Amino acid sequence: MTAIEPFDAVDLIKIKRDGGELSAAQIGWLVDAYTRGYVADEQMSAMTMAIFLRGMVSTEINDLTAAMVNSGERLDFSGLSKVTTDKHSTGGVGDKITLPLAPLVASFGLAVPQLSGRGLGHTGGTLDKFESIPGWRADLSNAEMLAQLEKVGAVVCAAGSGLAPADRKLYALRDITGTVEAIPLIASSIMSKKLAEGTSSLVLDVKFGNGAFMSEFERAKELANVLVRIGNDAGVATRAVLTNMNTPLGLAIGNANEVRESVEVLAGGGPADVVEVTVTLAEHMLELAGMTGVDVGANLDNGKAMDSWRSMVSAQGGDPDAALPVASESHVVTATRDGVVSRMDALPFGIAAWRLGAGRARKEDPVIHAAGIDLAVKPGATVKKGDVVFTLSANDSARFDRALEALDGGWEIGESVIDRGPLIAEVITG
Ligand code: URA
């Protein structure tokens, strides 16, 4: 005998279409019925569009997040002797922060579980960057992940398919129905995966600017507020840091080159912007885990964060001393006049790196780990005609033209630098 369903999808769609509120029971049923295939894609498409147009109140967003968490397994870190703290970034160009951040925070005795993804489009994926390291593997069982957290403190691995499966199905549907950009849907999507992961605290790096998923500052702030509220309402101490993504982060954009740059940061060097974001996020993660007044930067200078990095890479089969892949072809772009680099826009550099092979256009495409862009200078630098501004790297020189096309108009040499605002714009503490 088939079970009687407690609701009818059409009734719920009409409630949201007309601007009404859905109850926890209605949302719980809808997500469950969609995950098991009872509610059809076309019905869920109508619902996501209704949510996009009408929005959701806080309780609905919390209920939607909880329903997506309940659609799959939850990780349990309660057996660990260490306090867990997690970070999530909405993604940006040259955003390699997880690489130095996870071992840095782990070097203070905390456990940092980073369940990450592969990149799609112009923002790179953390796993793609790590996979430049010979031997490193992303797929760990839950038991391996827990053992590594206990021993090393930091783990970066692929999020298993068991976490929030409703989100995966819903995200694929949003992607083809023009409903990705709805804040209730974005926020519940991000937070369902983080809550299912079971961390005790969470710092969100919400990016704004031309290279960010959400370019307008005010929209990014609205998203950050909703994310922080969902986390805190669910009992996870959550903060968001709004960071500027108008200019690529650091000098390296790609995969292997971003690993090299991260290792420089772990060795106490590296570009100032990468160090600032890494240290700021680490300070918030430590504070949320109860460690205040800590000199976070000290562990970059004294080698402790580097020791954590080496242990973390080795624990996942990687060789921290192995040479990283280098591209066979390069194309150097030089200054056409004397002046000051007035701007370098993140989005065109991200698209160009992607066209060089550093990112994928389709989920099943491989990435070319050696491909990418290395900036020789950042906005504000004084250059002379003929000085190197950046170098493109690829394994096939035929890729350079399309990458250069993306960069056309994306950077400029002028009389002075254009102010793109502070790197760390605001912190939302909830
Ligand atoms: N990242 C996610 O995980 N989900 C979204 O909806 C958008 C960005």
PDB file of all heavy atoms in Angstrom, residues 196-232:
ATOM      1  N   ALA A 196      25.578  19.935   8.375  1.00  0.00           N
ATOM      2  CA  ALA A 196      25.654  18.465   8.311  1.00  0.00           C
ATOM      3  C   ALA A 196      27.048  17.990   8.687  1.00  0.00           C
ATOM      4  O   ALA A 196      27.239  16.894   9.201  1.00  0.00           O
ATOM      5  CB  ALA A 196      25.293  17.981   6.904  1.00  0.00           C
ATOM      6  N   GLU A 197      28.014  18.852   8.460  1.00  0.00           N
ATOM      7  CA  GLU A 197      29.402  18.522   8.770  1.00  0.00           C
ATOM      8  C   GLU A 197      29.649  18.510  10.283  1.00  0.00           C
ATOM      9  O   GLU A 197      30.603  17.899  10.741  1.00  0.00           O
ATOM     10  CB  GLU A 197      30.253  19.610   8.110  1.00  0.00           C
ATOM     11  CG  GLU A 197      31.601  19.195   7.676  1.00  0.00           C
ATOM     12  CD  GLU A 197      32.288  20.395   7.040  1.00  0.00           C
ATOM     13  OE1 GLU A 197      31.894  20.787   5.928  1.00  0.00           O
ATOM     14  OE2 GLU A 197      33.195  20.945   7.672  1.00  0.00           O
ATOM     15  N   GLY A 198      28.794  19.202  11.020  1.00  0.00           N
ATOM     16  CA  GLY A 198      28.840  19.077  12.479  1.00  0.00           C
ATOM     17  C   GLY A 198      29.946  19.821  13.193  1.00  0.00           C
ATOM     18  O   GLY A 198      30.378  19.411  14.268  1.00  0.00           O
ATOM     19  N   THR A 199      30.424  20.927  12.645  1.00  0.00           N
ATOM     20  CA  THR A 199      31.457  21.692  13.336  1.00  0.00           C
ATOM     21  C   THR A 199      30.869  22.482  14.509  1.00  0.00           C
ATOM     22  O   THR A 199      29.666  22.767  14.516  1.00  0.00           O
ATOM     23  CB  THR A 199      32.145  22.670  12.349  1.00  0.00           C
ATOM     24  OG1 THR A 199      33.177  23.364  13.013  1.00  0.00           O
ATOM     25  CG2 THR A 199      31.162  23.675  11.779  1.00  0.00           C
ATOM     26  N   SER A 200      31.692  22.867  15.481  1.00  0.00           N
ATOM     27  CA  SER A 200      31.134  23.675  16.579  1.00  0.00           C
ATOM     28  C   SER A 200      31.201  25.160  16.296  1.00  0.00           C
ATOM     29  O   SER A 200      30.497  25.939  16.912  1.00  0.00           O
ATOM     30  CB  SER A 200      31.788  23.371  17.923  1.00  0.00           C
ATOM     31  OG  SER A 200      32.934  22.618  17.799  1.00  0.00           O
ATOM     32  N   SER A 201      32.086  25.591  15.396  1.00  0.00           N
ATOM     33  CA  SER A 201      32.092  27.004  15.039  1.00  0.00           C
ATOM     34  C   SER A 201      32.461  27.146  13.569  1.00  0.00           C
ATOM     35  O   SER A 201      33.058  26.244  12.980  1.00  0.00           O
ATOM     36  CB  SER A 201      33.055  27.789  15.927  1.00  0.00           C
ATOM     37  OG  SER A 201      34.368  27.323  15.752  1.00  0.00           O
ATOM     38  N   LEU A 202      32.105  28.299  13.011  1.00  0.00           N
ATOM     39  CA  LEU A 202      32.264  28.474  11.570  1.00  0.00           C
ATOM     40  C   LEU A 202      32.550  29.935  11.246  1.00  0.00           C
ATOM     41  O   LEU A 202      31.872  30.830  11.742  1.00  0.00           O
ATOM     42  CB  LEU A 202      30.944  28.040  10.888  1.00  0.00           C
ATOM     43  CG  LEU A 202      30.794  28.310   9.396  1.00  0.00           C
ATOM     44  CD1 LEU A 202      31.806  27.491   8.590  1.00  0.00           C
ATOM     45  CD2 LEU A 202      29.377  27.955   8.937  1.00  0.00           C
ATOM     46  N   VAL A 203      33.564  30.164  10.428  1.00  0.00           N
ATOM     47  CA  VAL A 203      33.840  31.508   9.924  1.00  0.00           C
ATOM     48  C   VAL A 203      33.612  31.491   8.415  1.00  0.00           C
ATOM     49  O   VAL A 203      34.148  30.636   7.702  1.00  0.00           O
ATOM     50  CB  VAL A 203      35.280  31.957  10.270  1.00  0.00           C
ATOM     51  CG1 VAL A 203      35.598  33.293   9.610  1.00  0.00           C
ATOM     52  CG2 VAL A 203      35.433  32.078  11.787  1.00  0.00           C
ATOM     53  N   LEU A 204      32.795  32.436   7.961  1.00  0.00           N
ATOM     54  CA  LEU A 204      32.463  32.515   6.537  1.00  0.00           C
ATOM     55  C   LEU A 204      33.218  33.673   5.911  1.00  0.00           C
ATOM     56  O   LEU A 204      33.199  34.785   6.441  1.00  0.00           O
ATOM     57  CB  LEU A 204      30.956  32.740   6.382  1.00  0.00           C
ATOM     58  CG  LEU A 204      30.106  31.612   6.949  1.00  0.00           C
ATOM     59  CD1 LEU A 204      28.815  32.142   7.524  1.00  0.00           C
ATOM     60  CD2 LEU A 204      29.830  30.572   5.881  1.00  0.00           C
ATOM     61  N   ASP A 205      33.866  33.403   4.802  1.00  0.00           N
ATOM     62  CA  ASP A 205      34.538  34.460   4.045  1.00  0.00           C
ATOM     63  C   ASP A 205      33.598  34.782   2.881  1.00  0.00           C
ATOM     64  O   ASP A 205      33.534  34.041   1.904  1.00  0.00           O
ATOM     65  CB  ASP A 205      35.890  33.932   3.552  1.00  0.00           C
ATOM     66  CG  ASP A 205      36.671  34.959   2.742  1.00  0.00           C
ATOM     67  OD1 ASP A 205      36.164  36.082   2.544  1.00  0.00           O
ATOM     68  OD2 ASP A 205      37.787  34.633   2.298  1.00  0.00           O
ATOM     69  N   VAL A 206      32.831  35.851   3.042  1.00  0.00           N
ATOM     70  CA  VAL A 206      31.844  36.215   2.021  1.00  0.00           C
ATOM     71  C   VAL A 206      32.457  37.303   1.147  1.00  0.00           C
ATOM     72  O   VAL A 206      32.752  38.403   1.619  1.00  0.00           O
ATOM     73  CB  VAL A 206      30.516  36.671   2.658  1.00  0.00           C
ATOM     74  CG1 VAL A 206      29.507  37.047   1.580  1.00  0.00           C
ATOM     75  CG2 VAL A 206      29.949  35.573   3.552  1.00  0.00           C
ATOM     76  N   LYS A 207      32.660  36.964  -0.114  1.00  0.00           N
ATOM     77  CA  LYS A 207      33.380  37.883  -0.994  1.00  0.00           C
ATOM     78  C   LYS A 207      32.405  38.760  -1.791  1.00  0.00           C
ATOM     79  O   LYS A 207      31.318  38.312  -2.155  1.00  0.00           O
ATOM     80  CB  LYS A 207      34.261  37.082  -1.946  1.00  0.00           C
ATOM     81  CG  LYS A 207      35.221  36.170  -1.179  1.00  0.00           C
ATOM     82  CD  LYS A 207      36.541  36.044  -1.869  1.00  0.00           C
ATOM     83  CE  LYS A 207      37.543  35.251  -1.071  1.00  0.00           C
ATOM     84  NZ  LYS A 207      38.256  36.052  -0.089  1.00  0.00           N
ATOM     85  N   PHE A 208      32.852  39.978  -2.045  1.00  0.00           N
ATOM     86  CA  PHE A 208      32.095  40.894  -2.908  1.00  0.00           C
ATOM     87  C   PHE A 208      33.081  41.484  -3.900  1.00  0.00           C
ATOM     88  O   PHE A 208      34.299  41.403  -3.715  1.00  0.00           O
ATOM     89  CB  PHE A 208      31.423  42.008  -2.078  1.00  0.00           C
ATOM     90  CG  PHE A 208      32.423  42.881  -1.376  1.00  0.00           C
ATOM     91  CD1 PHE A 208      32.893  44.043  -1.981  1.00  0.00           C
ATOM     92  CD2 PHE A 208      32.939  42.527  -0.142  1.00  0.00           C
ATOM     93  CE1 PHE A 208      33.850  44.837  -1.350  1.00  0.00           C
ATOM     94  CE2 PHE A 208      33.894  43.313   0.487  1.00  0.00           C
ATOM     95  CZ  PHE A 208      34.352  44.462  -0.122  1.00  0.00           C
ATOM     96  N   GLY A 209      32.571  42.082  -4.972  1.00  0.00           N
ATOM     97  CA  GLY A 209      33.463  42.670  -5.977  1.00  0.00           C
ATOM     98  C   GLY A 209      33.318  41.932  -7.298  1.00  0.00           C
ATOM     99  O   GLY A 209      32.646  40.898  -7.372  1.00  0.00           O
ATOM    100  N   ASN A 210      33.982  42.445  -8.328  1.00  0.00           N
ATOM    101  CA  ASN A 210      33.722  41.911  -9.675  1.00  0.00           C
ATOM    102  C   ASN A 210      34.084  40.436  -9.856  1.00  0.00           C
ATOM    103  O   ASN A 210      33.550  39.772 -10.726  1.00  0.00           O
ATOM    104  CB  ASN A 210      34.385  42.806 -10.731  1.00  0.00           C
ATOM    105  CG  ASN A 210      35.894  42.775 -10.647  1.00  0.00           C
ATOM    106  OD1 ASN A 210      36.522  41.769 -10.930  1.00  0.00           O
ATOM    107  ND2 ASN A 210      36.493  43.890 -10.247  1.00  0.00           N
ATOM    108  N   GLY A 211      35.000  39.902  -9.032  1.00  0.00           N
ATOM    109  CA  GLY A 211      35.382  38.493  -9.190  1.00  0.00           C
ATOM    110  C   GLY A 211      34.604  37.572  -8.275  1.00  0.00           C
ATOM    111  O   GLY A 211      34.860  36.376  -8.227  1.00  0.00           O
ATOM    112  N   ALA A 212      33.639  38.122  -7.527  1.00  0.00           N
ATOM    113  CA  ALA A 212      32.904  37.311  -6.547  1.00  0.00           C
ATOM    114  C   ALA A 212      31.595  36.828  -7.143  1.00  0.00           C
ATOM    115  O   ALA A 212      31.048  37.416  -8.078  1.00  0.00           O
ATOM    116  CB  ALA A 212      32.628  38.128  -5.291  1.00  0.00           C
ATOM    117  N   PHE A 213      31.099  35.781  -6.545  1.00  0.00           N
ATOM    118  CA  PHE A 213      29.815  35.205  -6.908  1.00  0.00           C
ATOM    119  C   PHE A 213      28.704  36.258  -6.719  1.00  0.00           C
ATOM    120  O   PHE A 213      27.769  36.364  -7.497  1.00  0.00           O
ATOM    121  CB  PHE A 213      29.679  34.001  -5.982  1.00  0.00           C
ATOM    122  CG  PHE A 213      28.342  33.412  -5.847  1.00  0.00           C
ATOM    123  CD1 PHE A 213      27.755  32.788  -6.928  1.00  0.00           C
ATOM    124  CD2 PHE A 213      27.679  33.446  -4.639  1.00  0.00           C
ATOM    125  CE1 PHE A 213      26.509  32.218  -6.789  1.00  0.00           C
ATOM    126  CE2 PHE A 213      26.446  32.875  -4.500  1.00  0.00           C
ATOM    127  CZ  PHE A 213      25.867  32.259  -5.591  1.00  0.00           C
ATOM    128  N   MET A 214      28.835  37.062  -5.677  1.00  0.00           N
ATOM    129  CA  MET A 214      27.863  38.124  -5.412  1.00  0.00           C
ATOM    130  C   MET A 214      28.644  39.435  -5.492  1.00  0.00           C
ATOM    131  O   MET A 214      29.374  39.780  -4.572  1.00  0.00           O
ATOM    132  CB  MET A 214      27.326  37.895  -4.007  1.00  0.00           C
ATOM    133  CG  MET A 214      26.052  38.578  -3.764  1.00  0.00           C
ATOM    134  SD  MET A 214      24.939  37.523  -2.856  1.00  0.00           S
ATOM    135  CE  MET A 214      23.946  36.794  -4.103  1.00  0.00           C
ATOM    136  N   SER A 215      28.527  40.152  -6.590  1.00  0.00           N
ATOM    137  CA  SER A 215      29.446  41.271  -6.795  1.00  0.00           C
ATOM    138  C   SER A 215      29.137  42.503  -5.939  1.00  0.00           C
ATOM    139  O   SER A 215      30.042  43.165  -5.454  1.00  0.00           O
ATOM    140  CB  SER A 215      29.514  41.639  -8.278  1.00  0.00           C
ATOM    141  OG  SER A 215      28.233  41.904  -8.743  1.00  0.00           O
ATOM    142  N   GLU A 216      27.845  42.797  -5.732  1.00  0.00           N
ATOM    143  CA  GLU A 216      27.498  44.015  -4.975  1.00  0.00           C
ATOM    144  C   GLU A 216      27.712  43.839  -3.476  1.00  0.00           C
ATOM    145  O   GLU A 216      27.225  42.854  -2.893  1.00  0.00           O
ATOM    146  CB  GLU A 216      26.003  44.294  -5.123  1.00  0.00           C
ATOM    147  CG  GLU A 216      25.626  45.120  -6.302  1.00  0.00           C
ATOM    148  CD  GLU A 216      24.113  45.118  -6.389  1.00  0.00           C
ATOM    149  OE1 GLU A 216      23.439  45.523  -5.406  1.00  0.00           O
ATOM    150  OE2 GLU A 216      23.602  44.651  -7.416  1.00  0.00           O
ATOM    151  N   PHE A 217      28.369  44.824  -2.854  1.00  0.00           N
ATOM    152  CA  PHE A 217      28.659  44.737  -1.424  1.00  0.00           C
ATOM    153  C   PHE A 217      27.378  44.530  -0.598  1.00  0.00           C
ATOM    154  O   PHE A 217      27.325  43.668   0.281  1.00  0.00           O
ATOM    155  CB  PHE A 217      29.405  45.991  -0.934  1.00  0.00           C
ATOM    156  CG  PHE A 217      29.642  45.979   0.536  1.00  0.00           C
ATOM    157  CD1 PHE A 217      30.634  45.185   1.081  1.00  0.00           C
ATOM    158  CD2 PHE A 217      28.851  46.729   1.392  1.00  0.00           C
ATOM    159  CE1 PHE A 217      30.842  45.138   2.458  1.00  0.00           C
ATOM    160  CE2 PHE A 217      29.045  46.690   2.767  1.00  0.00           C
ATOM    161  CZ  PHE A 217      30.044  45.890   3.294  1.00  0.00           C
ATOM    162  N   GLU A 218      26.336  45.324  -0.894  1.00  0.00           N
ATOM    163  CA  GLU A 218      25.124  45.255  -0.068  1.00  0.00           C
ATOM    164  C   GLU A 218      24.455  43.876  -0.135  1.00  0.00           C
ATOM    165  O   GLU A 218      23.939  43.370   0.851  1.00  0.00           O
ATOM    166  CB  GLU A 218      24.126  46.360  -0.446  1.00  0.00           C
ATOM    167  CG  GLU A 218      24.539  47.759   0.031  1.00  0.00           C
ATOM    168  CD  GLU A 218      24.876  47.839   1.542  1.00  0.00           C
ATOM    169  OE1 GLU A 218      24.240  47.127   2.348  1.00  0.00           O
ATOM    170  OE2 GLU A 218      25.795  48.600   1.907  1.00  0.00           O
ATOM    171  N   ARG A 219      24.464  43.272  -1.314  1.00  0.00           N
ATOM    172  CA  ARG A 219      23.876  41.922  -1.473  1.00  0.00           C
ATOM    173  C   ARG A 219      24.731  40.896  -0.733  1.00  0.00           C
ATOM    174  O   ARG A 219      24.209  39.987  -0.082  1.00  0.00           O
ATOM    175  CB  ARG A 219      23.820  41.526  -2.957  1.00  0.00           C
ATOM    176  CG  ARG A 219      22.744  42.221  -3.738  1.00  0.00           C
ATOM    177  CD  ARG A 219      21.432  41.462  -3.731  1.00  0.00           C
ATOM    178  NE  ARG A 219      21.494  40.182  -4.420  1.00  0.00           N
ATOM    179  CZ  ARG A 219      20.582  39.230  -4.254  1.00  0.00           C
ATOM    180  NH1 ARG A 219      19.572  39.421  -3.433  1.00  0.00           N
ATOM    181  NH2 ARG A 219      20.672  38.094  -4.925  1.00  0.00           N
ATOM    182  N   ALA A 220      26.061  41.050  -0.843  1.00  0.00           N
ATOM    183  CA  ALA A 220      26.961  40.117  -0.154  1.00  0.00           C
ATOM    184  C   ALA A 220      26.759  40.231   1.359  1.00  0.00           C
ATOM    185  O   ALA A 220      26.745  39.235   2.086  1.00  0.00           O
ATOM    186  CB  ALA A 220      28.411  40.398  -0.532  1.00  0.00           C
ATOM    187  N   LYS A 221      26.542  41.473   1.818  1.00  0.00           N
ATOM    188  CA  LYS A 221      26.326  41.696   3.256  1.00  0.00           C
ATOM    189  C   LYS A 221      24.999  41.060   3.707  1.00  0.00           C
ATOM    190  O   LYS A 221      24.911  40.471   4.784  1.00  0.00           O
ATOM    191  CB  LYS A 221      26.349  43.200   3.546  1.00  0.00           C
ATOM    192  CG  LYS A 221      26.255  43.515   5.001  1.00  0.00           C
ATOM    193  CD  LYS A 221      26.531  44.961   5.272  1.00  0.00           C
ATOM    194  CE  LYS A 221      26.138  45.287   6.697  1.00  0.00           C
ATOM    195  NZ  LYS A 221      26.365  46.672   7.027  1.00  0.00           N
ATOM    196  N   GLU A 222      23.997  41.209   2.848  1.00  0.00           N
ATOM    197  CA  GLU A 222      22.692  40.606   3.175  1.00  0.00           C
ATOM    198  C   GLU A 222      22.861  39.083   3.295  1.00  0.00           C
ATOM    199  O   GLU A 222      22.360  38.463   4.231  1.00  0.00           O
ATOM    200  CB  GLU A 222      21.744  40.957   2.018  1.00  0.00           C
ATOM    201  CG  GLU A 222      20.286  40.796   2.318  1.00  0.00           C
ATOM    202  CD  GLU A 222      19.447  41.075   1.055  1.00  0.00           C
ATOM    203  OE1 GLU A 222      19.850  41.898   0.202  1.00  0.00           O
ATOM    204  OE2 GLU A 222      18.388  40.431   0.935  1.00  0.00           O
ATOM    205  N   LEU A 223      23.594  38.494   2.332  1.00  0.00           N
ATOM    206  CA  LEU A 223      23.846  37.045   2.381  1.00  0.00           C
ATOM    207  C   LEU A 223      24.613  36.689   3.657  1.00  0.00           C
ATOM    208  O   LEU A 223      24.246  35.735   4.357  1.00  0.00           O
ATOM    209  CB  LEU A 223      24.642  36.605   1.139  1.00  0.00           C
ATOM    210  CG  LEU A 223      25.102  35.139   1.130  1.00  0.00           C
ATOM    211  CD1 LEU A 223      23.909  34.185   1.103  1.00  0.00           C
ATOM    212  CD2 LEU A 223      26.010  34.853  -0.081  1.00  0.00           C
ATOM    213  N   ALA A 224      25.634  37.477   3.980  1.00  0.00           N
ATOM    214  CA  ALA A 224      26.455  37.198   5.165  1.00  0.00           C
ATOM    215  C   ALA A 224      25.586  37.217   6.427  1.00  0.00           C
ATOM    216  O   ALA A 224      25.702  36.338   7.294  1.00  0.00           O
ATOM    217  CB  ALA A 224      27.576  38.230   5.272  1.00  0.00           C
ATOM    218  N   ASN A 225      24.685  38.206   6.517  1.00  0.00           N
ATOM    219  CA  ASN A 225      23.809  38.289   7.688  1.00  0.00           C
ATOM    220  C   ASN A 225      22.927  37.053   7.805  1.00  0.00           C
ATOM    221  O   ASN A 225      22.728  36.513   8.895  1.00  0.00           O
ATOM    222  CB  ASN A 225      22.925  39.545   7.607  1.00  0.00           C
ATOM    223  CG  ASN A 225      23.648  40.756   8.172  1.00  0.00           C
ATOM    224  OD1 ASN A 225      24.166  40.727   9.282  1.00  0.00           O
ATOM    225  ND2 ASN A 225      23.718  41.824   7.391  1.00  0.00           N
ATOM    226  N   VAL A 226      22.387  36.609   6.667  1.00  0.00           N
ATOM    227  CA  VAL A 226      21.498  35.432   6.708  1.00  0.00           C
ATOM    228  C   VAL A 226      22.297  34.186   7.092  1.00  0.00           C
ATOM    229  O   VAL A 226      21.867  33.373   7.929  1.00  0.00           O
ATOM    230  CB  VAL A 226      20.764  35.250   5.351  1.00  0.00           C
ATOM    231  CG1 VAL A 226      19.913  33.987   5.371  1.00  0.00           C
ATOM    232  CG2 VAL A 226      19.900  36.460   5.027  1.00  0.00           C
ATOM    233  N   LEU A 227      23.497  34.040   6.531  1.00  0.00           N
ATOM    234  CA  LEU A 227      24.333  32.868   6.841  1.00  0.00           C
ATOM    235  C   LEU A 227      24.665  32.824   8.339  1.00  0.00           C
ATOM    236  O   LEU A 227      24.559  31.776   8.979  1.00  0.00           O
ATOM    237  CB  LEU A 227      25.644  32.930   6.040  1.00  0.00           C
ATOM    238  CG  LEU A 227      25.540  32.758   4.519  1.00  0.00           C
ATOM    239  CD1 LEU A 227      26.844  33.157   3.836  1.00  0.00           C
ATOM    240  CD2 LEU A 227      25.173  31.324   4.147  1.00  0.00           C
ATOM    241  N   VAL A 228      25.045  33.980   8.878  1.00  0.00           N
ATOM    242  CA  VAL A 228      25.434  34.044  10.296  1.00  0.00           C
ATOM    243  C   VAL A 228      24.227  33.714  11.187  1.00  0.00           C
ATOM    244  O   VAL A 228      24.331  32.972  12.158  1.00  0.00           O
ATOM    245  CB  VAL A 228      26.047  35.426  10.616  1.00  0.00           C
ATOM    246  CG1 VAL A 228      26.211  35.632  12.125  1.00  0.00           C
ATOM    247  CG2 VAL A 228      27.395  35.582   9.914  1.00  0.00           C
ATOM    248  N   ARG A 229      23.074  34.233  10.791  1.00  0.00           N
ATOM    249  CA  ARG A 229      21.883  33.967  11.603  1.00  0.00           C
ATOM    250  C   ARG A 229      21.525  32.477  11.591  1.00  0.00           C
ATOM    251  O   ARG A 229      21.243  31.886  12.624  1.00  0.00           O
ATOM    252  CB  ARG A 229      20.707  34.825  11.118  1.00  0.00           C
ATOM    253  CG  ARG A 229      19.578  34.890  12.133  1.00  0.00           C
ATOM    254  CD  ARG A 229      18.339  35.486  11.564  1.00  0.00           C
ATOM    255  NE  ARG A 229      18.059  35.078  10.210  1.00  0.00           N
ATOM    256  CZ  ARG A 229      17.687  33.859   9.858  1.00  0.00           C
ATOM    257  NH1 ARG A 229      17.538  32.922  10.761  1.00  0.00           N
ATOM    258  NH2 ARG A 229      17.472  33.570   8.587  1.00  0.00           N
ATOM    259  N   ILE A 230      21.568  31.869  10.399  1.00  0.00           N
ATOM    260  CA  ILE A 230      21.236  30.426  10.327  1.00  0.00           C
ATOM    261  C   ILE A 230      22.185  29.630  11.234  1.00  0.00           C
ATOM    262  O   ILE A 230      21.759  28.765  11.992  1.00  0.00           O
ATOM    263  CB  ILE A 230      21.377  29.875   8.878  1.00  0.00           C
ATOM    264  CG1 ILE A 230      20.417  30.553   7.909  1.00  0.00           C
ATOM    265  CG2 ILE A 230      21.150  28.363   8.861  1.00  0.00           C
ATOM    266  CD1 ILE A 230      20.632  30.141   6.438  1.00  0.00           C
ATOM    267  N   GLY A 231      23.483  29.939  11.146  1.00  0.00           N
ATOM    268  CA  GLY A 231      24.466  29.197  11.935  1.00  0.00           C
ATOM    269  C   GLY A 231      24.211  29.369  13.422  1.00  0.00           C
ATOM    270  O   GLY A 231      24.105  28.377  14.166  1.00  0.00           O
ATOM    271  N   ASN A 232      24.062  30.620  13.860  1.00  0.00           N
ATOM    272  CA  ASN A 232      23.874  30.865  15.291  1.00  0.00           C
ATOM    273  C   ASN A 232      22.559  30.268  15.786  1.00  0.00           C
ATOM    274  O   ASN A 232      22.503  29.687  16.866  1.00  0.00           O
ATOM    275  CB  ASN A 232      23.980  32.364  15.598  1.00  0.00           C
ATOM    276  CG  ASN A 232      25.429  32.846  15.491  1.00  0.00           C
ATOM    277  OD1 ASN A 232      26.368  32.111  15.793  1.00  0.00           O
ATOM    278  ND2 ASN A 232      25.623  34.068  15.029  1.00  0.00           N
TER     279      ASN A 232
END
